[in-house]
Amino acid sequence: MFGKGAKSFVAQLPLLFAMVLFSFISLWIMHLDMNMRSSLM
Amino acid sequence: MDCCEVKDGIHMMPGNPDWMFFTGIGLTLLVSFLLYFKKNDRRITSRFDLTKIRFIEWLIKKRWVQFAFQLPLFLLFVIILYAGLFGNQLINIAPALTWTIWWGGLIFAILFLGKIWCFVCPWDFIASLVSRLRFWNVNKDPISLNLKWPKYARNITLAIGLFIILTWLELGYKVTSDPFATAIMGIAMTLLVVFPIFIFEKKSFCRYGCLVGRISGLYANVAPIEIRAKSHDVCLSCKSKDCYNGNDNGYACPTGLNLTGLNENTYCIMCTECFKSCPKDNVALNIRPFASDILDYRKPRLDEAVLAVILLSLTSFHGLSMTPVWEDLTSGGVSIISTLNTFFGLGSLFSFSVGMAGILLVPFLLYIFLCFLSHKIAHNEITTKEIFVRFSYSLIPIALFYHLAHNGMHVAMEGQMVLPLLSDPFGFGWNLFGTVGQTYPMLLGDTTVWILQVIFVVIGHIIGIKIAAKA
Ligand code: SF4
């Protein structure tokens, strides 16, 4: 999509950043304490 | 487990330990740089057609088979409705079966079996029965006005809207712990599926409006199963297009697909009608490598891209809304909800709605901004919109595997609590299987759950990176 070369490499960095950020957020949420139900009744 | 009962049946489960969190981050960074810039087009494309097994081929072509699978699910649905509407509202199986077992387990079913839910869907069972007036045989003249779905609505905006409403009801209105509200939602969903079948052609609501179908449709592109033409040449030479038009043996594809151009799982509801209608026996039920469609998505669409970003936001929101950062249920400390409550002073539901809107919007705007940045740097004719659409598919596995990590935790840690309820589903004081009053261990311990969660997130990230590298 972006072709080849240094410019295409740099152009893809924001998207790579987006993916890393979203995965970090997933890991961060799982790192937090969670309110769980002790009973489903 | 290092947790303690605090109040109102809520206990605090500790989050992943630091070392696991940082290992996850390290792995994520490592695979990002290893995979993203290493363009590798070598892929396993092999398939195994399950219909080569005579018994499966026989089964798939029998019209009564779907009925036989849908009937038990329909009966279970009736039990849930009865429990929710007429059962004891404190001891009741409806919320647990619906939200912990079905909604929790659904994502796992999609990962391995694709759109299998649509095949057994009780709402579809009811809608088909009342319009076709047949248990399984083909009725070429079902009760329906057969109107075309409005042109302006031939996208998945309705499904996206319903998904946002469902999340609001689920987390904001706390429907997940309310048997009566759970039953009402089940009835509402039934009406949403049944009414359109009398008005619009085929199963237009399944194609455009069903939130379960559209979410599972995007996720199913990762699944290792597909329904496809065995030979495209045979399809191209076919004049009658029975898969699309239907015949005496099978209905027209309910979502309007034509096997000739079918390359993705997104809109196939695995109804198996095309196996029955194809006069040339040219339909395969393939086992394939995971993520086959999504690594090479042929027809990216803006509405699907929007759903992919919203899925990512709302699945993360499910997790966040259970943490003290969102609302501190145990010690009443500072949280997003308490801050919004203080700021607006309009009550918790209003604060929840504002917070949810923010969590929907922020990742969306951030993603648009990053696409815009890419567009500016690239300085070529590719627009921000094209980047937005193309790259959004790489977010689907990140959302799916986070969803698996989150739902897996619910099933593993809360699933066993359903067992006592099986003996007394309506709270009438029964003890059918002798499980009332018993306590059962969690399906998995917390350390196992934590490790699996990190593995899931890293797998989702790896698949996402591979898709982005190919985009
Ligand atoms: S008819 Fe075939 S292609 Fe169409 S939804 Fe059913 S299984 Fe999928």
Side-chain angles (χ1 to χ4, degrees), chain B residues 227 243 252-255 257 259 262 267-275:
Chain B
I227 288 172
C243 60
C253 175
T255 51
L257 300 174
L259 279 170
L262 184 60
Y267 299 100
C268 171
I269 57 171
M270 282 184 111
C271 66
T272 69
E273 288 298 336
C274 49
F275 287 90

Side-chain angles (χ1 to χ4, degrees), chain B residues 424-457:
Chain B
D424 190 14
F426 311 123
F428 290 164
W430 301 347
N431 194 1
L432 297 175
F433 309 111
T435 56
V436 169
Q438 308 286 330
T439 47
Y440 296 92
M442 291 184 299
L443 297 176
L444 297 172
D446 46 5
T447 309
T448 315
V449 170
W450 289 331
I451 292 172
L452 286 175
Q453 284 188 314
V454 173
I455 291 174
F456 276 139
V457 171

